[in-house]
Amino acid sequence: MRALAVLARPLLPDFLDGYTTVIGSTVYLPDLPHRIPRDLLACILCHELVHQLDQRRFGPLFYLTYAIPPAGRTVRAVWERRAYTVDLLVARELGGDRGLSMAVDRLVTVFSGAGYGWMWAGRVAARAFLAPTVEAVASRSVDREAPYDSIIEAWRG
Ligand SMILES: [Zn+2]
């Protein structure tokens, strides 16, 4: 993992220090699990679960397309939009429309910024790219789609 962090450092300077990732069945967290607030840890693990399901379903295609260097609009953004759907669901559950709106603003920065290597071209384009997912979360239609149906049911307990 350290070697991966060194290789990724020019594009992702905070890799390993501030990010979570999953490779196969192992989730790498930015801190010890007991030091991460419970709700945040649950959200992180649900996000990584979506990546694990995609990795299992798509195999090498997932890893190859995720790793393609950034070029403004990447397949990585498609995978991350699928996983960040969980973050939007949780934001809606915890904070309603206002929580969802704040999460969207944060994700626009995530998708257009350096954190993931500028995986989408600019804030306006990132907001437009996220819009169909945001609408599906706001209207609750995504609550009936796998794997989000199971995830949100588990989140609610
Ligand atoms: Zn992710």
Side-chain angles (χ1 to χ4, degrees), residues 76-124:
R76 177 185 307 158
V78 174
W79 300 121
E80 286 301 337
R81 183 172 60 179
R82 287 180 48 74
Y84 273 110
T85 299
V86 169
D87 300 63
L88 294 172
L89 276 169
V90 169
R92 185 199 70 200
E93 289 294 305
L94 295 176
D97 291 343
R98 181 168 156 69
L100 178 58
S101 178
M102 291 171 61
V104 172
D105 290 343
R106 185 176 65 84
L107 285 190
V108 166
T109 300
V110 167
F111 276 71
S112 62
Y116 283 89
W118 301 275
M119 64 183 166
W120 208 251
R123 295 183 60 82
V124 172

